[in-house]
Amino acid sequence: MPELPEVEVVRAGLAPAVDGAFVNGVEVLDERALTRHSGDGSHFEAELAGRTFGAPARRGKFLWIPLADAGEQAVVAHLGMSGQMLLREPGAPRERHERVRFDIRHPQHGELAVVFADQRTFGSLAVDQLVPTSDGAAGGYGTDRASVPTQVSHIARDPLDPAFDEGGFRRLVARKRSGIKRVLLDQGVVSGIGNIYADEALWAARIHPETVAATLSTRAVNRLVAEVRAVLQKALAEGGTSFDAQYVNVNGQAGYFAHSLNAYGRTGEPCARCGHAIVRVAFTNRSSHYCPHCQRLR
């Protein structure tokens, strides 16, 4: 599933193309892409045709594009397992798994098509209301407006958000009796971190994924936050993590962070730090990857 770096790469790629663009028309090809929308395909098309997009914003794994002429509405996107937001020339051939197409006209870049494609159909688009943020700070990365879509308002801020409350995060961790990896994946505690980057940050911080969160010292939590940020920022610099053709940026290009992974997907390979073999264990419906020597369960 795309995590924070992958969604941020998409947001940054969309920004110059959609900010200030007029929506000439919308075509819904598959209503399964509208599971979070309150109406059907015709309603979605009618809501957006003739509107103007603002600058896209992101919180965690959610992306939204405000409707600049609608005051308090936005198009919210969640990429799910395999969703893609692609920029194409007007009239470009259909993508293989195309679900929704926006035909837009930008005052500087002219006409473009924004395509939402999704192989597994777990992603979604919706027109949603914007509501004030609970802390009065900007809603997310890429915006200075203190508002967020209702569908995103329950999602915690992510570690790269300027308004991320590090002290509040430490206090939440100190109350959690579950393993620290479960805490990192809880989008109500901290957003944007999925299985890949949780494994990588825990490896970098030398913390076993099943360590009871409340037993971690303040120093250890601070180290973990620093490593989470470092991993996310490095992944951003490398365009995200691509294991197959399902995650690409808006131009259809893959990310390269998979080549920099130290734990995730490295089962049986020597740890880059100590040389012991990385192990893989079952974790809910997924897996955890860690070094049993460097990341001992205490």
Side-chain angles (χ1 to χ4, degrees):
M1 177 182 291
E3 301 178 27
L4 183 156
E6 291 77 42
V7 181
E8 177 57 25
V9 166
V10 172
R11 185 207 66 80
L14 286 175
V18 305
D19 187 10
F22 179 81
V23 182
N24 290 326
V26 182
E27 187 176 6
V28 176
L29 303 171
D30 190 337
E31 293 196 356
R32 289 178 296 176
L34 304 180
T35 54
R36 296 174 184 267
H37 183 66
S38 60
D40 60 11
S42 297
H43 180 265
F44 186 82
E45 293 170 349
E47 282 279 281
L48 296 174
R51 310 298 278 276
T52 301
F53 284 150
R58 177 197 53 76
R59 178 181 288 200
K61 305 174 189 179
F62 280 86
L63 168 73
W64 68 92
I65 305 174
L67 299 176
D69 58 349
E72 302 303 326
Q73 283 187 309
V75 180
V76 183
H78 192 281
L79 300 183
M81 295 289 290
S82 58
Q84 301 170 342
M85 297 288 285
L86 305 168
L87 292 176
R88 294 291 183 256
E89 294 293 329
R94 298 284 186 206
E95 298 296 320
R96 183 178 178 187
H97 302 290
E98 185 169 332
R99 309 298 177 191
V100 179
R101 177 173 292 215
F102 303 84
D103 291 311
I104 64 174
R105 184 178 70 252
H106 192 275
Q108 289 180 302
H109 308 301
E111 294 190 346
L112 291 167
V114 180
V115 172
F116 179 69
D118 189 5
Q119 178 178 340
R120 299 184 182 178
T121 67
F122 293 143
S124 64
L125 300 175
V127 177
D128 193 18
Q129 293 297 123
L130 293 168
V131 295
T133 55
S134 59
D135 56 8
Y141 208 84
T143 182
D144 56 4
R145 295 181 59 182
S147 60
V148 64
T150 60
Q151 297 182 20
V152 188
S153 60
H154 68 288
I155 300 296
R157 293 187 180 274
D158 64 67
L160 300 187
D161 191 319
F164 178 71
D165 182 358
E166 195 166 329
F169 175 73
R170 284 195 298 268
R171 289 189 292 273
L172 284 173
V173 169
R175 297 199 296 266
K176 297 291 184 179
R177 301 301 305 177
S178 53
I180 185 59
K181 181 173 177 179
R182 292 179 185 273
V183 176
L184 290 179
L185 297 182
D186 184 344
Q187 303 299 295
V189 175
V190 57
S191 67
I193 306 170
N195 211 36
I196 296 173
Y197 300 117
D199 281 357
E200 290 301 298
L202 289 167
W203 179 87
R206 298 175 181 248
I207 297 173
H208 191 286
E210 291 300 325
T211 301
V212 175
T215 66
L216 290 170
S217 66
T218 298
R219 182 178 179 182
V221 176
N222 289 343
R223 184 171 71 248
L224 178 58
V225 171
E227 296 295 354
V228 166
R229 285 183 172 138
V231 165
L232 294 176
Q233 287 167 342
K234 186 175 182 182
L236 267 173
E238 298 187 21
T241 302
S242 298
F243 290 108
D244 52 35
Q246 291 181 355
Y247 164 67
V248 293
N249 65 16
V250 295
N251 297 313
Q253 299 167 326
Y256 293 97
F257 190 67
H259 302 291
S260 302
L261 296 172
N262 289 300
Y264 186 88
R266 301 296 187 193
T267 308
E269 297 181 24
C271 171
R273 194 164 44 214
C274 72
H276 287 73
I278 297 293
V279 300
R280 173 179 177 271
V281 297
F283 176 78
T284 60
N285 295 322
R286 292 166 287 189
S287 300
S288 284
H289 305 78
Y290 65 93
C291 174
H293 181 75
C294 293
Q295 298 168 261
R296 297 182 181 179
L297 183 60
R298 305 184 187 281

